[in-house]
């Protein structure tokens, strides 16, 4: 007898029970509906999304520390790690500058603010101060000093990723210097801590649909859908420009590594949807690190390039800032010369690097740019208050894709990418079966189809049952 086929309702229920992508998709739609129908109630749901983001942030710093320390110790070559960092910064600067130029060209061609004839004195500039909390972007000296930790514990307590990266590099270098014989238990302990952190991430990810529902309901309830009609030209331009930049990323990824960006998007569709729903790339950093390792990128490259990109490679934000600057100028009737537009690019190249983690950073960067030009009233940035939150989806997708492509490109450049393994993984040959998709959200990296082992030896391993973290640990290599 042929096997019985489950009914449609049973298949749908099974998919909703096991697929994080399906759960988040439903939560996204439900959040939009609730926000539209009951806006007053929906605005009170923001703590659902904020709570999830806070939980994820608690594990980001220790996870980055563990991955970087293990990566340096296992690579056994601090010079190679330094080369990865330098190459990453070169890639970041090229990518973010390309995003700025694309944004300026698009805004010049379309002119989203032309014909608005806005009087800057009629704008509520106090709302900008409220959004930014009276803060300011750091100067270059402040940025460098802030990247240096004042205390070991403080860097983790304040979730300062650059400070954590520096501490991790120092600890990894110390492990190489002392050698395995002097500190034989430290590296295995850090590896086991890494497994525990990934398990915690799995537990937190079970709350992702609730977080997306709350965040989306709050967005629609607070801002409504009418703002999209008011700023339709600007919104469409930003998203089309982002699509063009993403297409260039796809070409660059194919040329450098031979990998398909579309297949990678399909591979991280759950994380991408979650980032869209919560408007935060930080909420998916642990899972994305995990998947990049499974896709053949070496631990040290993933551990250094991805977290650093969160501060230095904000491609989506750069695109938005360049378009936003010209939109404001056009709206208030200021015609910027070519020299002034070049100044915009140069200023934004600096201000965009200090934006990460600062409330209202986009408005601070726009205000700084307007002030540097002297031709645009700084208060005119209030024009973007109503549409800024709508742009989060564009910024999140572009920032995340830009950083992931940077990981693959720099890894390939440094010889730290197993291209064959990456192609197998993106083709779905080494990914879990659909029935296991829900289990992955709660499983530590070492229990997901041999994910941890793949990152170390560059070859797929057979399915293994969940074990204790210590059971999956390979013997620590001789350091130094």
């Amino acid at each position: 007898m042929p096997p019985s086929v489950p009914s449609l309702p049973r298949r749908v229920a099974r998919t909703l029970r096991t697929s994080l992508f399906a759960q988040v998709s439903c939560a996204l739609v439900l959040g939009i509906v609730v926000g539209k129908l009951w806006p007053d109630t929906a605005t009170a749901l923001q703590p659902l999304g904020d709570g999830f983001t806070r939980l994820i942030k608690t594990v980001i710093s220790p996870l980055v520390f563990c991955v970087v320390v293990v990566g340096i110790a296992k690579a056994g070559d601090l010079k190679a790690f330094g080369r990865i960092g330098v190459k990453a910064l070169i890639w970041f600067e090229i990518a973010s500058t390309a995003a700025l130029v694309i944004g300026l060209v698009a805004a010049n061609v379309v002119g989203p603010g032309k014909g608005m004839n806005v009087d800057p004195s009629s704008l509520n500039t106090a709302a900008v101060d409220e959004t930014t909390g009276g803060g300011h972007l750091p100067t270059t000296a402040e940025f460098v000093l802030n990247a240096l930790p004042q205390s070991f514990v403080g860097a983790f307590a304040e979730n300062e990723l650059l400070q954590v990266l520096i501490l991790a590099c120092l600890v990894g270098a110390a492990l190489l210097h002392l050698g395995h014989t002097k500190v034989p238990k430290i590296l295995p302990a850090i590896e086991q801590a890494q497994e525990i952190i990934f398990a915690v991430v799995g537990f937190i990810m079970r709350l992702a649909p609730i977080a997306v529902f709350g965040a989306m309901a709050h967005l629609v309830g607070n801002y409504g859908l009418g703002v999209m009609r008011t700023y339709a030209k600007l919104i469409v331009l930003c998203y089309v420009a982002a699509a063009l930049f993403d297409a260039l990323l796809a070409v660059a990824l194919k040329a450098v590594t031979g990998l398909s960006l579309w297949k990678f998007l399909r591979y991280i569709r759950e994380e991408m949807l979650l980032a869209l729903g919560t408007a935060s790339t930080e909420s998916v950093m642990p899972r994305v690190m995990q998947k990049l390792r499974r896709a053949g990128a070496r631990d040290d490259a993933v551990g250094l390039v991805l977290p650093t990109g969160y501060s230095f490679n904000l491609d989506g934000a750069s695109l938005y800032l360049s378009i936003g600057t010209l939109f404001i100028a056009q709206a208030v009737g200021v015609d910027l010369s070519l020299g002034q537009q070049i100044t915009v690019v140069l200023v934004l190249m600096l201000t965009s690097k200090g934006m990460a983690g600062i409330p209202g950073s986009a408005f601070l960067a726009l205000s700084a740019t307007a002030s540097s030009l002297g031709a645009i009233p700084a208060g005119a940035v209030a024009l973007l208050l109503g549409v800024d939150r709508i742009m989060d989806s564009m910024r999140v997708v572009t920032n995340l894709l830009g950083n992931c492509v940077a990981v693959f490109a720099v890894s390939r450049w440094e010889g730290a990418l197993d291209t064959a393994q990456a192609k197998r993984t993106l083709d779905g040959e080494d990914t879990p079966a659909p029935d296991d998709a829900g289990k992955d959200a709660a499983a530590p990296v070492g229990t997901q189809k041999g994910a941890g082992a793949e990152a170390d030896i560059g070859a797929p391993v057979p399915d293994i049952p969940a074990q204790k973290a210590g059971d999956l640990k390979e013997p620590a290599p001789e350091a130094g």
Side-chain angles (χ1 to χ4, degrees):
M1 294 180 60
S4 59
V5 178
S7 62
L8 180 60
R10 284 178 175 272
R11 293 200 300 272
V12 171
R14 184 178 186 182
T15 301
L16 286 175
R17 188 177 67 253
T18 60
S19 172
L20 180 64
F21 180 79
Q23 294 168 6
V24 172
S25 299
C26 290
L28 195 68
V29 174
L30 188 59
I32 294 174
V33 172
V34 171
K36 178 64 176 175
L37 298 180
W38 302 283
D40 294 336
T41 302
T43 54
L45 298 176
Q46 185 179 10
L48 295 178
D50 291 346
F52 175 82
T53 304
R54 288 171 69 112
L55 285 173
I56 285 291
K57 285 184 177 181
T58 61
V59 300
I60 287 178
S61 291
L63 176 61
V64 169
F65 179 82
C66 291
V67 171
V68 172
V69 170
V70 172
I72 293 176
K74 286 193 171 182
D77 186 358
L78 198 58
K79 290 183 179 178
F81 199 73
R83 287 197 306 270
I84 290 175
V86 172
K87 291 175 180 178
L89 291 176
I90 294 173
W91 180 275
F92 293 159
E93 195 55 54
I94 293 173
S96 57
T97 303
L100 289 171
V101 172
I102 289 174
L104 283 181
V105 172
N108 275 296
V109 172
V110 177
K114 290 182 178 178
M116 293 184 69
N117 301 318
V118 175
D119 180 6
S121 63
S122 65
L123 297 172
N124 181 18
T125 57
V128 177
D129 295 331
E130 181 181 348
T131 301
T132 60
H136 69 281
L137 290 176
T139 63
T140 303
E142 289 174 337
F143 182 74
V144 173
L145 285 176
N146 290 337
L148 301 176
Q150 297 186 64
S151 72
F152 201 99
V153 176
F156 291 88
E158 296 173 9
N159 222 24
E160 295 286 349
L161 277 186
L162 288 180
Q163 295 183 11
V164 171
L165 272 174
I166 290 176
L167 289 173
C169 291
L170 292 174
V171 172
L175 283 176
L176 289 179
H177 176 71
L178 293 173
H180 178 65
T181 55
K182 291 186 178 180
V183 284
K185 297 182 180 179
I186 296 297
L187 184 59
I190 294 176
E191 287 184 287
Q192 292 176 22
Q194 178 178 279
E195 299 291 348
I196 293 172
I197 294 169
F198 273 122
V200 172
V201 170
F203 298 148
I204 297 174
M205 289 300 295
R206 294 174 184 265
L207 303 175
I210 299 175
V212 169
F213 167 73
M216 189 53 60
H218 168 74
L219 170 63
V220 177
N222 196 37
Y223 295 95
L225 299 176
V227 69
M228 298 186 69
R229 292 192 296 269
T230 305
Y231 289 90
K233 193 174 183 180
L234 175 62
I235 294 171
V236 170
L237 174 62
C238 284
Y239 278 84
V240 170
L244 174 61
F245 181 78
D246 293 340
L248 292 179
L249 283 179
V251 172
L253 180 65
K254 190 71 174 180
V256 175
T257 67
L259 303 177
S260 166
L261 186 64
W262 171 251
K263 290 181 179 179
F264 179 72
L265 263 174
R266 187 176 58 189
Y267 175 57
I268 62 164
R269 61 185 182 276
E270 294 173 351
E271 291 73 26
M272 188 63 72
L273 195 60
L274 175 57
L276 283 171
T278 58
S280 169
T281 53
E282 286 187 338
S283 64
V284 297
M285 182 195 281
R287 290 261 301 191
V288 171
M289 290 180 73
Q290 186 177 357
K291 286 201 167 183
L292 287 169
R293 295 168 68 209
R294 289 175 59 187
R298 209 167 64 196
D299 283 11
D300 51 348
V302 174
L304 181 61
V305 178
L306 189 66
T308 307
Y310 272 58
S311 295
F312 287 93
N313 193 40
L314 304 174
D315 297 331
S318 299
L319 195 71
Y320 169 66
L321 289 175
S322 57
I323 293 176
T325 301
L326 259 67
F327 169 78
I328 294 169
Q330 294 164 359
V332 298
V334 175
D335 186 19
L336 296 180
S337 65
L338 177 61
Q340 288 175 314
Q341 293 191 30
I342 293 174
T343 302
V344 168
V345 173
L346 296 176
V347 171
L348 290 177
M349 282 172 62
L350 297 175
T351 55
S352 63
K353 298 297 182 290
M355 288 175 53
I358 300 176
S361 55
F363 295 104
L364 291 172
L366 287 169
S367 298
T369 306
S371 299
S372 68
L373 291 173
I376 306 174
V381 298
L383 278 171
L384 293 173
L385 280 171
V387 74
D388 183 71
R389 186 63 177 81
I390 306 296
M391 298 299 184
D392 275 344
S393 298
M394 179 274 291
R395 290 192 293 246
V396 162
V397 169
T398 309
N399 287 345
L400 186 57
L401 282 180
N403 287 324
C404 290
V405 169
V407 171
F408 281 124
V410 174
S411 298
R412 182 70 177 87
W413 191 359
E414 181 58 26
L417 176 66
D418 187 337
T419 307
Q421 170 65 17
K423 290 181 177 179
R424 285 194 298 269
T425 301
L426 298 189
D427 287 338
E429 296 177 16
D430 294 321
T431 54
D435 291 347
D436 297 331
K439 300 175 185 176
D440 274 359
V445 64
T447 64
Q448 294 182 11
K449 307 294 187 269
E454 288 177 15
D456 292 336
I457 63 175
V461 296
D463 292 358
I464 54 176
Q467 303 174 41
K468 296 180 181 178
D471 296 337
L472 295 175
K473 168 177 61 66
E474 296 179 359
E478 292 290 336

